[in-house]
């Protein structure tokens, strides 16, 4: 199977989408599928910026999973890096609002599967933004993302988008 690209999207690319990106990379490695999918992430909100630091809390919940983020892992503003949307085979957003933003403001997403992560995993609803909240909110978001990724992994393994 040729390598395909999945793009995770959230507002600023400093919490949820980075957590999803890193957890999916881990799952793919664990299932010897690291060469099947390229995993990227980016932010879509007006305040998303290239080079912003990933939140400390996101780094800490990833560390709990054995994932250490290096200093080079920083945010990506999709408005300035539209090629990432164009190159994606599958786009998974954290909220229905972000799906609407992608469909309305990114012609690069036309004709591509653009879903919420929960929808792709066969669930409904959004993954709430933990930014600025207590550590438990980050842990909850990480666990929710991980659960969805585990549920969605068979679909990814089939190459289905």
């Amino acid at each position: 199977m040729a390598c395909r690209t999945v793009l995770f999207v959230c507002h600023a690319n400093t919490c949820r989408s980075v957590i999803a990106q890193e957890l999916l990379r881990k799952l793919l490695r664990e299932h010897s599928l690291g060469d099947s999918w390229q995993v990227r992430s980016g932010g879509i909100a007006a305040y998303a910026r290239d080079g912003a630091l990933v939140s400390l809390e996101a780094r800490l919940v990833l560390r709990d999973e054995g994932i250490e983020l290096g200093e080079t892992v920083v945010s990506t503003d999709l408005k300035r890096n539209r090629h990432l949307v164009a190159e994606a085979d599958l786009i998974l957003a954290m909220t229905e609002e972000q799906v609407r933003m992608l469909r309305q403001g990114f012609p690069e997403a036309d004709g591509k599967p653009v879903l919420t992560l929960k929808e792709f995993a066969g669930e409904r609803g959004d993954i709430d933004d933990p930014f600025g909240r207590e550590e438990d909110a980050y842990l909850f978001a990480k666990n929710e993302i991980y659960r969805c990724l585990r549920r969605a992994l068979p679909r990814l393994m089939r190459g289905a988008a």
Side-chain angles (χ1 to χ4, degrees):
M1 178 184 356
C3 184
R4 300 180 71 193
T5 300
V6 60
L7 176 66
F8 289 105
V9 176
C10 71
H11 278 353
N13 191 221
T14 60
C15 299
R16 295 169 292 173
S17 56
V18 174
I19 291 170
Q21 168 187 287
E22 297 303 324
L23 290 176
L24 181 57
R25 286 178 177 167
K26 178 182 179 182
L27 283 171
L28 291 171
R29 282 191 306 272
E30 288 172 352
H31 289 85
S32 300
L33 296 168
D35 295 335
S36 300
W37 286 90
Q38 181 175 28
V39 185
R40 296 175 168 170
S41 66
I44 195 170
Y47 53 83
R49 298 288 179 264
D50 283 337
L53 296 177
V54 173
S55 77
L56 175 60
E57 294 84 355
R59 289 175 180 276
L60 292 174
V61 296
L62 285 170
R63 184 182 294 163
D64 291 344
E65 298 298 329
I67 300 168
E68 291 284 341
L69 292 185
E71 295 293 317
T72 59
V73 178
V74 294
S75 68
T76 300
D77 177 1
L78 291 176
K79 296 178 305 304
R80 298 175 66 95
N81 294 279
R82 290 175 173 269
H83 67 281
L84 296 177
V85 176
E87 293 168 1
D89 296 296
L90 172 63
I91 302 170
L92 298 175
M94 298 298 127
T95 68
E96 291 178 14
E97 175 190 8
Q98 292 157 358
V99 168
R100 282 191 300 276
M101 291 169 73
L102 282 158
R103 289 190 175 138
Q104 292 170 358
F106 286 80
E108 299 87 351
D110 289 351
K112 296 176 186 283
V114 180
L115 309 161
T116 66
L117 174 56
K118 281 192 170 184
E119 186 180 5
F120 190 71
E123 299 181 14
R124 293 173 48 129
D126 294 340
I127 295 178
D128 292 332
D129 192 352
F131 185 77
R133 297 171 48 205
E134 65 281 346
E135 186 178 333
D136 286 351
Y138 285 84
L139 184 59
F140 184 83
K142 186 241 346 180
N143 289 338
E144 197 171 28
I145 290 166
Y146 218 179
R147 183 191 75 246
C148 289
L149 290 172
R150 286 186 183 111
R151 287 191 68 183
L153 191 60
R155 190 171 178 184
L156 279 173
M157 290 170 74
R158 289 190 308 269

